[in-house]
Amino acid sequence: MKVHQGGSLFLPSSITAIGAFDGVHLGHQMLIERLVERSKKLGVPSVVYTFDPPPRIYFNDVKQLTLIEEKVKRIHALGVVHVVVAQFNKDYLNRSVQQFINDLLAFHPIEIIVGSDFRFGKNRSGGIEELKQYFQVYLMDSICCAKGNVISSTRIRELLLSGKKKEAEILLNW
């Protein structure tokens, strides 16, 4: 697996998943497994485009579930070929929707996989509709645990804060 800084990956084609992937929890794992499966089926490299730190960490100063090195290690274990790490900072926040799209165009995604709430660009002004103007977009539905609750990094943080470490570990699935 190869790790790239934002703006440094150029590929003739790929299939790409975009997200914060903090914790690389069970929901993320299912999304990444779909990415790798589609990558093999289409015969193109898999790319995960992620952020360091994750946006929620940057804005809300909450506990980060996995530092970038651990996140990359977990993504690699799932079979991804390339990971692009965008440095999420004040400069990145001011990037336009088109600048983000241009970053993606550099690795020519045949398909992009994102969660249904994905937003990007300055003031979160871009979303699924803007991506669809350039790419085939597959929306991944939220994944629920056996109790019917959505698996999310936020939920895992809440479980850890309330002392429910075992339940959080089940959702992390590592």
Side-chain angles (χ1 to χ4, degrees):
M1 184 184 72
K2 297 176 184 167
V3 180
H4 310 269
Q5 294 302 312
S8 68
L9 177 62
F10 301 93
L11 294 171
S13 62
S14 70
I15 181 168
T16 303
I18 309 169
F21 300 108
D22 190 22
V24 194
H25 59 62
L26 192 54
H28 297 144
Q29 291 167 39
M30 292 178 78
L31 185 148
I32 292 169
E33 286 168 1
R34 174 168 171 71
L35 168 77
V36 171
E37 176 186 299
R38 294 285 297 152
S39 164
K40 288 176 182 174
K41 183 177 180 179
L42 297 171
V44 297
S46 54
V47 176
V48 166
Y49 188 104
T50 192
F51 309 94
D52 184 42
R56 192 166 307 255
I57 306 306
Y58 181 87
F59 287 117
N60 300 331
D61 193 31
V62 294
K63 178 181 176 19
Q64 191 166 336
L65 296 174
T66 47
L67 296 177
I68 191 63
E69 297 81 11
E70 181 66 20
K71 182 191 324 189
V72 167
K73 181 178 152 188
R74 290 179 181 188
I75 291 169
H76 175 17
L78 295 167
V80 172
V81 176
H82 298 278
V83 175
V84 176
V85 179
Q87 295 302 309
F88 199 85
N89 55 31
K90 189 176 181 179
D91 291 335
Y92 196 85
L93 282 172
N94 288 314
R95 293 168 48 95
S96 69
V97 167
Q98 193 58 53
Q99 285 172 307
F100 183 79
I101 298 276
N102 290 344
D103 280 355
L104 299 177
L105 286 168
F107 34 94
H108 299 91
I110 294 171
E111 191 172 289
I112 291 182
I113 304 171
V114 293
S116 58
D117 61 347
F118 181 70
R119 306 292 306 166
F120 62 95
K122 187 174 182 174
N123 299 320
R124 297 173 44 98
S125 56
I128 306 305
E129 292 308 312
E130 287 76 15
L131 281 179
K132 284 182 175 179
Q133 292 175 21
Y134 294 86
F135 310 105
Q136 174 84 29
V137 178
Y138 175 81
L139 297 180
M140 188 78 174
D141 292 329
S142 296
I143 306 299
C144 295
C145 68
K147 294 181 178 180
N149 298 318
V150 172
I151 300 171
S152 70
S153 300
T154 300
R155 180 156 175 253
I156 292 168
R157 277 189 213 92
E158 290 168 357
L159 289 169
L160 291 170
L161 285 172
S162 64
K164 297 178 181 175
K165 184 178 179 188
K166 193 72 168 169
E167 196 173 335
E169 287 174 349
I170 291 168
L171 299 182
L172 286 167
N173 194 39
W174 287 101

